[in-house]
């Protein structure tokens, strides 16, 4: 067993995750496609009345373990950031009608993950957000780490 870290010793990096759940409805429908194309692509998820999910979100941050506190981040702070960035804008909302971001963005789980990432980035200390994992169902899960597509030359 290694001795406890002492001031001036090596810095240790760690990742910390916190989960929460929210409920929301949406309709998978792209304005770039015809009604027929939307129905064919999205099937029952294109129902004009929408459908709902109980989403689970896992947020992971990373950073140095502070030798004074023993923490990467105060979990109470992370809880507050997640409340502001996820629960307040999304919980018990119709994503397409109640969240301006989705007015022109299809409310897929991929785009929900990007929305959450962008909202958390505004609140968390710079460089600490590592991963957003969104469970739409037990079987459908999206992981987003802030990557942008690289344009082909």
């Amino acid at each position: 067993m290694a001795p406890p870290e002492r001031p001036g010793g090596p810095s240790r990096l760690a990742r910390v995750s916190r989960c929460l759940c929210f409920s929301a409805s949406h309709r998978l429908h792209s304005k770039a496609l015809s009604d027929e194309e939307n129905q064919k692509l999205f099937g029952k998820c294109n129902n004009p009345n929408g459908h709902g999910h109980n989403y689970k979100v896992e947020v992971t941050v990373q950073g140095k373990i502070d030798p004074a506190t023993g923490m990467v981040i105060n979990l109470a702070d992370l809880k507050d950031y997640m409340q502001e960035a996820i629960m307040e804008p999304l919980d018990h909302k119709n994503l397409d009608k109640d969240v301006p971001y989705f007015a022109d963005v299809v409310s897929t789980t991929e785009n929900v993950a990007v929305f959450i990432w962008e909202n958390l980035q505004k609140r968390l200390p710079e460089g600490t957000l590592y991963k957003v994992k969104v469970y739409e169902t037990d079987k459908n899960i999206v992981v987003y780490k802030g990557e942008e597509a690289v344009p082909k030359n």
Side-chain angles (χ1 to χ4, degrees), residues 13-17 59-63 65 72 128 130-131 145:
L13 296 175
R15 293 183 181 135
V16 177
S17 298
V59 173
T60 303
V61 297
Q62 66 180 356
I65 300 172
V72 170
T128 59
Y130 175 72
K131 175 175 68 176
K145 294 183 177 180

Side-chain angles (χ1 to χ4, degrees), residues 66-119:
D66 184 300
T69 66
M71 298 187 292
V72 170
I73 190 170
N74 184 320
L75 285 174
D77 293 341
L78 181 56
K79 178 183 175 183
D80 290 344
Y81 297 141
M82 291 172 69
Q83 175 69 28
E84 294 170 11
I86 303 168
M87 297 301 285
E88 290 175 13
L90 301 178
D91 191 36
H92 285 85
K93 301 286 174 56
N94 180 313
L95 299 180
D96 307 311
K97 296 178 180 180
D98 299 329
V99 183
Y101 180 89
F102 293 107
D104 295 311
V105 174
V106 182
S107 55
T108 60
T109 308
E110 293 90 336
N111 285 327
V112 170
V114 170
F115 173 84
I116 291 170
W117 176 277
E118 290 176 356
N119 261 4

